[in-house]
């Protein structure tokens, strides 16, 4: 089954994410339980590591997009505000999603769910892209950066929660 290579924005993320939903839930729980200092250190390491390697990874087809990747890489090379880093990653992830669309050779149906002996198949059939070798390489970066963005979102939520709790405690002490 083939479709037009032009996938609507967010469709690839929705379909690709559906195939990995259990993995994402495990990582989400892991990030919530990890000590905040360790999670921040991991996120900083992943950001800096990605920034060092992304410009040589041949991910962008146009000079304009290569320049955007280089600017992002330079921005994560210095001091990083972890609370703002997730929003800075979103356009880079969108760029990789667009690049992946151009590397789609076709599509196949994949079942995402579980098989219950009593109730039958429980899940969804999603349309998954068949990617070229370059598309697979871009998809690895896409997944990696989405994981880093998720870490950063968890950090932001945990920092906001800590701030809310500490301000509430200060209010009671007065």
């Amino acid at each position: 089954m083939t479709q037009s290579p032009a996938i609507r924005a967010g469709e690839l993320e929705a379909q690709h994410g559906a195939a990995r939903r259990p993995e994402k839930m495990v990582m989400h729980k892991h990030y919530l339980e990890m000590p905040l200092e360790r999670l921040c250190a991991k996120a900083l390491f992943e950001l800096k590591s990605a920034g060092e390697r992304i410009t040589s990874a041949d991910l962008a087809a146009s000079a304009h997009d290569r320049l955007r990747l280089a600017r992002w890489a330079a921005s994560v090379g210095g001091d990083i505000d972890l609370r703002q880093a997730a929003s800075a990653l979103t356009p880079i992830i969108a760029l990789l999603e667009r690049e992946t669309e151009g590397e789609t050779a076709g599509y196949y149906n994949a079942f995402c769910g579980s098989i219950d002996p009593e109730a039958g198949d429980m899940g969804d059939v999603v349309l998954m892209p068949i990617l070229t070798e370059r598309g697979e390489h871009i998809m690895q970066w896409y997944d990696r950066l989405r994981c880093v963005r998720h870490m950063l979102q968890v950090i932001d939520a945990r920092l906001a929660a800590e701030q809310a709790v500490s301000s509430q405690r200060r209010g009671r002490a007065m």
Side-chain angles (χ1 to χ4, degrees):
M1 166 182 264
T2 60
Q3 276 188 351
S4 167
I7 300 173
R8 288 189 307 266
E11 187 175 326
L12 177 63
E13 184 169 347
Q15 289 178 353
H16 193 68
R20 294 201 167 110
R21 199 169 287 133
E23 176 184 316
K24 184 176 179 176
M25 294 301 290
V26 169
M27 292 308 298
H28 180 72
K29 185 176 186 228
H30 179 68
Y31 296 153
L32 289 173
E33 293 173 350
M34 186 183 290
L36 186 57
E37 186 175 303
R38 188 169 164 220
L39 180 60
C40 290
K42 181 174 177 55
L44 281 170
F45 175 79
E46 291 293 332
L47 272 172
K48 289 191 183 274
S49 177
E52 290 170 0
R53 296 184 188 136
I54 200 163
T55 54
S56 63
D58 187 34
L59 300 175
S62 73
H64 175 71
D65 289 342
R66 284 191 297 274
L67 182 61
R68 284 182 64 196
L69 287 175
R71 285 184 185 146
W72 177 80
S75 75
V76 297
D79 292 336
I80 300 170
D81 178 4
L82 287 178
R83 297 193 85 170
Q84 301 300 319
S87 60
L89 257 178
T90 300
I92 301 304
I93 292 169
L95 183 149
L96 294 179
E97 184 174 1
R98 285 190 307 276
E99 288 294 325
T100 304
E101 291 169 5
E103 297 296 325
T104 303
Y107 297 87
Y108 69 95
N109 291 324
F111 176 71
C112 296
S114 62
I115 300 172
D116 184 346
E118 295 176 9
D121 298 344
M122 304 294 288
D124 298 315
V125 174
V126 296
L127 198 59
M128 298 295 292
I130 299 170
L131 300 173
T132 64
E133 188 175 323
R134 181 174 180 268
E136 288 291 336
H137 180 68
I138 294 168
M139 186 57 75
Q140 288 173 350
W141 274 93
Y142 175 82
D143 288 340
R144 178 182 183 184
L145 294 181
R146 283 186 62 217
C147 184
V148 172
R149 180 178 64 183
H150 185 71
M151 269 191 271
L152 293 166
Q153 290 168 336
V154 170
I155 288 168
D156 187 40
R158 287 179 63 181
L159 289 172
E162 279 187 7
Q163 186 178 13
V165 167
S166 67
S167 67
Q168 189 176 34
R169 284 183 185 156
R170 274 186 263 141
R172 285 186 193 162
M174 293 182 163

